[in-house]
C-alpha cells in the first residue's frame, strides 16, 4: 500500500511539473550582460570597466577610410546614443511613478567595487589596407579588439573585418549597475568567421515583402554577422522583379502593379547591403517554379496534355527561343546584381507535364533520352553555359546533382532536404563545393525555443577527408514565405536565424548560449528588430 501511495505521489509531482504547476518565479533564462553573439573565436573579459558618455564618444579612423567606414560610424554612434536615451526614458518613467527628483549622473563619483578605470572617449579604428568596394566570397572578416585602461583599439586588414568588430564592440556596451549609464568591460578579442558564406534566404514571391522590411532584415543580418542575402525574388506565384528588357514579366506576373521591385528598389537594397558587408545573391529558379513567367510568356513553358490539359508546366527545354530569352534576361540580371554567383534553382522540377507533351516526347526519342533527368541535364547545361558566358558562377539546388546532371567544376550544390550528411559527403567526394540549408528552414516553426535544433546542426558533421570539408562554403537559413509577410517575417527570422549565424561564424559551440541569446533577442528588439522570445517566460525592458 505504501508503495502504491509513494508511486502516486511521485506520479502527481511529475505530472504537475510537466504541466507547469511547479515553477519558480522570474525569467526561465537570465540574460547575460554585454556578451557577444556570435561567440568570438578568442575573447578575454576582465572585471575592470570604463564608462561611455555617448554625446562625447567618437570613432577615430587613423589610417584608411571610405564611405563604408564612415557610414558604419554613424550607425553605431546612433545605436549607442539610442541606448542612452532608452535608459533616460526608463529613469524618467520610474521617477514619475515614485515622484522622485531626477539628478544628473555624477560620473566622477562612480564606484563599483573599485573596478572603474575611467571614461572611454573614443574607439581608435585601424584599417590597415584601403577599403574594398563590394563584399565577396572569401573576403577577410577577421579583426582584433582591445580595451585596456579606457583606451580601445579595433584593427583589421579589411573594412569587412572592421564592420564585424564594430558590431562586437557595440554588443559589449551595457547599462551600468546604476541603470543610468553605459559601461563596457576591458577585453581582448581575436576573431574570424568559420565559414565565408553565411546567408539568409528570403522568399519575396509567395508574399511581397516591402523594401523597408527587407532593410530591417538586412539590419538584423548585420547584427548577427550574416553576410549573404539570398534573394529568392520570383517564383510560381508572382514575378515582382521589374525587368528593363522584359517589363511585361512583372506587369502581368506580379500580384499587383504596386507590388513590384523596380530597378531603383533593387539598387537601393544592394547598396544598403553593401554598406553592411552583405552580398546580395539573386535566384531566378528554372526550369520549375516559373508559372508566373507564363502569364506574359506562355510560349516559354510546357503545354500540358491529359490528364493535365489546360495547365502550363515547367520551362520547355526543347525550344531554342527559351535559351535566347534566358540569355537576354540573365544578361540583364548579371549587370543589375554585382554578385559573382547566380543561383539557378533547379529544384522540384515536375516531369509529369513533360511526359504528356508529344513534342517533348518526340524530342527525347530523337536524342535517345530514356529519362527526363537527361532532358533536365541538357537544360541545366545550357543555362550554366549562359551563366559562364556572363562571367558568373552557378549555384544549383541539390536535385540537379541528384538527377546526375553533369555539373562544371566549381558549380555549387545547395543541400536543402534528405540525408544531408550522406549527400554532402557524396557531393564533396565528387569535388564540388557545397552549401547547407537542410537543417535551417525557418518556415518549419515549432515553438519559440526551436532554435536549439538549428544550433545543434554542424555543416562539417559528415564523413569526409579534410579536402572534402574544405569544399563546404558555409550555409544559409531559409525563410520561405508561404505563411509570412511584412507583419510577421521578422519575428519568424529572429532570433531563430541567430542560431545558424553562430554555427556558421564560431569555431566551436559557445558558452552560456541560452543566456547570450536571451540578451541578444532583447538587443535586437532595442534596435527595432521585433525578435520573438527565444527561451520562454521572461522580459525585456
Amino acid at each position: 500500500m505504501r508503495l502504491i501511495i509513494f508511486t502516486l505521489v511521485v506520479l502527481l509531482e511529475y505530472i504537475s511539473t510537466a504541466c507547469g504547476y511547479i515553477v519558480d518565479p522570474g525569467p526561465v533564462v537570465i540574460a547575460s550582460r554585454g556578451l557577444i553573439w556570435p561567440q568570438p573565436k578568442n575573447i578575454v573579459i576582465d572585471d575592470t570597466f570604463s564608462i561611455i558618455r555617448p554625446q562625447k564618444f567618437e570613432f577615430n579612423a587613423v589610417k584608411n577610410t571610405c564611405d563604408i567606414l564612415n557610414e558604419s560610424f554613424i550607425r553605431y554612434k546612433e545605436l549607442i546614443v539610442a541606448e542612452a536615451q532608452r535608459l533616460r526614458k526608463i529613469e524618467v518613467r520610474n521617477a514619475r511613478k515614485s515622484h522622485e527628483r531626477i539628478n544628473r549622473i555624477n560620473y566622477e563619483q562612480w564606484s563599483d567595487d573599485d573596478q572603474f578605470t575611467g571614461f572611454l572617449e573614443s574607439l581608435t579604428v585601424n584599417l590597415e589596407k584601403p577599403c574594398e568596394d563590394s563584399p565577396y566570397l572569401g573576403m577577410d572578416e577577421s579583426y582584433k579588439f582591445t580595451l585596456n585602461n579606457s583606451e580601445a583599439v579595433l584593427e583589421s586588414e579589411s573594412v569587412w573585418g572592421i564592420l564585424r568588430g564594430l558590431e562586437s564592440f557595440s554588443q559589449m556596451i551595457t547599462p551600468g549597475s546604476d541603470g543610468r549609464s553605459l559601461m563596457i568591460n576591458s577585453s581582448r578579442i581575436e576573431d574570424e568567421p568559420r565559414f565565408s558564406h553565411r546567408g539568409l534566404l528570403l522568399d519575396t514571391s509567395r508574399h511581397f515583402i516591402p523594401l523597408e522590411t527587407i532593410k530591417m532584415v538586412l539590419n538584423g543580418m548585420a547584427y548577427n554577422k550574416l553576410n549573404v542575402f539570398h534573394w529568392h525574388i520570383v517564383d510560381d506565384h508572382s514575378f515582382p522583379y521589374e525587368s528593363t528588357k522584359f517589363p511585361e514579366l512583372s506587369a502581368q506576373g506580379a500580384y499587383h502593379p504596386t507590388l513590384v521591385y523596380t530597378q531603383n528598389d533593387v539598387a537601393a537594397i544592394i547598396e544598403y547591403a553593401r554598406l553592411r558587408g552583405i552580398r546580395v545573391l539573386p535566384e531566378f529558379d528554372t526550369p520549375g517554379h516559373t508559372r508566373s513567367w507564363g502569364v506574359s510568356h506562355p510560349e516559354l513553358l510546357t503545354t500540358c496534355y491529359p490528364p493535365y490539359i489546360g495547365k502550363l508546366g515547367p520551362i520547355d527545354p526543347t525550344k531554342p527561343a527559351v535559351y535566347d530569352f534566358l540569355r537576354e534576361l540573365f544578361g540583364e540580371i548579371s549587370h543589375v546584381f554585382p554578385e559573382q554567383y547566380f543561383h539557378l534553382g533547379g529544384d522540384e522540377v515536375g516531369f509529369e507535364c513533360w511526359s504528356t507533351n508529344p513534342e517533348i516526347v518526340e524530342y527525347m526519342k530523337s536524342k535517345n533520352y530514356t529519362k527526363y533527368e537527361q532532358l533536365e541535364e541538357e537544360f541545366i547545361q545550357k543555362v550554366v553555359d549562359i551563366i559562364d558566358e556572363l562571367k558568373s558562377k552557378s549555384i544549383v539546388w541539390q536535385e540537379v546533382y541528384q538527377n546526375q546532371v553533369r555539373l562544371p567544376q566549381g558549380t555549387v550544390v545547395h543541400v536543402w532536404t534528405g540525408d544531408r550528411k550522406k549527400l554532402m559527403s557524396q557531393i564533396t567526394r565528387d569535388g564540388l563545393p557545397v552549401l547547407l540549408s537542410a537543417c535551417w528552414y525557418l518556415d518549419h516553426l515549432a515553438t519559440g525555443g526551436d532554435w536549439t535544433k538549428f544550433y545543434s546542426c554542424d555543416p562539417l558533421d559528415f564523413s569526409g577527408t579534410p579536402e572534402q570539408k574544405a569544399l563546404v562554403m558555409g550555409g544559409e537559413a531559409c525563410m520561405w514565405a508561404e505563411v509570412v509577410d511584412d507583419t510577421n517575417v521578422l519575428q519568424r527570422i529572429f532570433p531563430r536565424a541567430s542560431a545558424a549565424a553562430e554555427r556558421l561564424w564560431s569555431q566551436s559551440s559557445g558558452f552560456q548560449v541560452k543566456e547570450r541569446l536571451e540578451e541578444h533577442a532583447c538587443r535586437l528588439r532595442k534596435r527595432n528588430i521585433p525578435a520573438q522570445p527565444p527561451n520562454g517566460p521572461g522580459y525585456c525592458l
Side-chain angles (χ1 to χ4, degrees):
M1 188 65 170
R2 288 181 179 178
L3 179 61
I4 294 174
I5 293 173
F6 175 77
T7 304
L8 287 173
V9 169
V10 172
L11 182 61
L12 286 171
E13 287 180 353
Y14 171 78
I15 293 173
S16 63
T17 302
C19 294
Y21 297 130
I22 301 176
V23 295
D24 293 324
V28 171
V29 174
I30 304 298
S32 59
R33 288 184 61 195
L35 296 186
I36 297 171
W37 193 281
Q39 176 71 23
K41 184 177 181 179
N42 294 302
I43 180 170
V44 177
I45 302 175
D46 296 335
D47 291 333
T48 59
F49 65 87
S50 302
I51 298 298
I52 294 178
R53 293 177 282 197
Q55 300 300 338
K56 295 185 177 182
F57 180 81
E58 295 180 347
F59 295 99
N60 292 328
V62 296
K63 287 193 176 179
N64 296 289
T65 189
C66 61
D67 61 336
I68 297 175
L69 206 58
N70 294 333
E71 290 288 338
S72 68
F73 291 165
I74 295 172
R75 292 198 306 273
Y76 284 103
K77 177 65 179 288
E78 289 175 348
L79 288 177
I80 295 171
V81 170
E83 177 69 355
Q85 292 173 342
R86 186 185 68 85
L87 294 179
R88 183 67 172 173
K89 288 179 181 178
I90 293 173
E91 183 185 18
V92 170
R93 185 165 62 246
N94 291 340
R96 285 173 179 169
K97 288 181 179 180
S98 60
H99 305 289
E100 293 179 355
R101 181 173 176 270
I102 300 175
N103 297 313
R104 296 178 61 85
I105 300 174
N106 187 350
Y107 292 105
E108 283 65 29
Q109 294 180 358
W110 180 276
S111 176
D112 189 354
D113 299 327
D114 297 322
Q115 304 282 340
F116 172 49
T117 62
F119 302 103
L120 180 61
E121 303 288 353
S122 65
L123 172 63
T124 298
V125 177
N126 188 350
L127 175 57
E128 294 289 347
K129 296 180 180 178
C131 291
E132 295 172 310
D133 184 63
S134 297
Y136 57 92
L137 179 70
M139 60 187 176
D140 181 4
E141 296 173 274
S142 64
Y143 66 91
K144 294 180 181 179
F145 171 79
T146 58
L147 171 56
N148 187 35
N149 293 325
S150 297
E151 292 186 3
V153 178
L154 172 62
E155 54 186 325
S156 176
E157 294 287 315
S158 81
V159 68
W160 319 118
I162 295 295
L163 290 180
R164 308 310 173 219
L166 287 171
E167 178 57 37
S168 293
F169 170 75
S170 73
Q171 292 185 14
M172 296 181 70
I173 300 171
T174 63
S177 58
D178 65 345
R180 306 168 68 192
S181 56
L182 296 179
M183 60 167 280
I184 180 170
N185 278 80
S186 300
S187 57
R188 297 174 297 283
I189 302 174
E190 291 188 9
D191 200 10
E192 64 181 353
R194 186 182 182 201
F195 296 101
S196 184
H197 187 119
R198 307 180 308 280
L200 173 69
L201 177 151
L202 180 63
D203 166 15
T204 60
S205 171
R206 274 61 177 243
H207 282 95
F208 181 84
I209 307 298
L211 227 59
E212 288 309 309
T213 304
I214 294 178
K215 289 181 178 180
M216 291 177 71
V217 169
L218 291 169
N219 286 340
M221 290 178 64
Y223 301 150
N224 286 278
K225 298 187 176 77
L226 292 168
N227 67 357
V228 180
F229 176 59
H230 177 166
W231 197 349
H232 187 90
I233 194 167
V234 302
D235 209 293
D236 283 327
H237 300 84
S238 72
F239 197 105
Y241 169 77
E242 184 182 66
S243 167
T244 55
K245 293 188 175 181
F246 304 102
E248 66 275 9
L249 284 168
S250 60
Q252 299 180 45
Y255 286 131
H256 187 271
T258 62
L259 303 181
V260 168
Y261 302 108
T262 67
Q263 294 286 308
N264 287 338
D265 292 337
V266 172
I269 291 300
I270 293 172
E271 176 64 7
Y272 198 86
R274 182 187 75 91
L275 292 173
R276 288 156 181 78
I278 298 173
R279 299 157 49 201
V280 180
L281 169 66
E283 180 184 357
F284 285 74
D285 202 349
T286 59
H289 292 276
T290 51
R291 185 58 187 87
S292 63
W293 304 39
V295 180
S296 59
H297 286 275
E299 75 281 359
L300 298 175
L301 305 187
T302 302
T303 300
C304 306
Y305 288 80
Y308 310 107
I309 192 166
K311 302 289 185 179
L312 290 176
I315 285 177
D316 187 340
T318 68
K319 296 179 178 179
V322 162
Y323 304 102
D324 295 334
F325 181 91
L326 292 177
R327 186 173 285 103
E328 286 282 308
L329 178 61
F330 290 172
E332 172 194 319
I333 293 167
S334 68
H335 284 96
V336 171
F337 292 86
E339 167 61 29
Q340 65 184 130
Y341 283 88
F342 193 117
H343 206 303
L344 297 174
D347 63 317
E348 299 177 323
V349 181
F351 297 147
E352 301 87 355
C353 182
W354 283 356
S355 68
T356 68
N357 186 290
E359 293 179 0
I360 289 181
V361 171
E362 189 61 33
Y363 181 86
M364 290 184 64
K365 288 180 180 178
S366 70
K367 292 280 191 174
N368 293 321
Y369 291 164
T370 58
K371 299 185 300 181
Y372 289 99
E373 285 83 358
Q374 292 171 293
L375 184 60
E376 181 190 14
E377 177 183 356
E378 179 182 325
F379 173 84
I380 293 294
Q381 185 62 62
K382 289 180 179 178
V383 175
V384 167
D385 290 343
I386 290 172
I387 297 302
D388 187 57
E389 292 172 13
L390 298 171
K391 309 301 182 185
S392 296
K393 299 179 180 180
S394 300
I395 303 177
V396 295
W397 292 111
Q398 67 184 59
E399 287 94 328
V400 175
Y401 171 84
Q402 290 174 306
N403 290 341
Q404 299 181 332
V405 174
R406 289 173 296 176
L407 295 172
Q409 201 67 24
T411 302
V412 182
V413 181
H414 199 161
V415 174
W416 71 276
T417 190
D419 187 341
R420 62 177 177 82
K421 296 181 181 180
K422 180 180 179 181
L423 190 54
M424 292 180 71
S425 181
Q426 292 173 343
I427 293 168
T428 54
R429 192 183 308 128
D430 287 341
L432 294 172
V434 64
L435 289 171
L436 176 64
S437 285
C439 45
W440 294 320
Y441 262 44
L442 303 176
D443 54 314
H444 296 178
L445 183 68
T447 67
D450 70 349
W451 63 267
T452 55
K453 68 183 180 184
F454 302 141
Y455 197 88
S456 65
C457 177
D458 187 341
L460 298 182
D461 63 352
F462 64 91
S463 299
T465 65
E467 290 76 17
Q468 285 180 256
K469 301 294 179 77
L471 288 169
V472 179
M473 292 167 46
E476 297 179 356
C478 296
M479 188 69 260
W480 299 103
E482 284 86 350
V483 292
V484 297
D485 58 14
D486 59 310
T487 66
N488 65 345
V489 66
L490 290 159
Q491 295 90 328
R492 289 287 180 91
I493 293 175
F494 302 108
R496 297 162 73 235
S498 301
E502 178 152 294
R503 302 305 286 128
L504 289 166
W505 178 278
S506 302
Q507 308 298 320
S508 60
S509 297
F511 74 106
Q512 292 186 297
V513 177
K514 288 186 176 181
E515 292 82 357
R516 285 189 299 110
L517 190 58
E518 188 76 18
E519 177 186 13
H520 191 52
C522 290
R523 180 186 295 128
L524 292 172
R525 290 176 63 178
K526 286 188 285 187
R527 297 180 179 188
N528 298 318
I529 306 294
Q532 67 180 43
N535 295 307
Y539 70 98
C540 295
L541 285 176

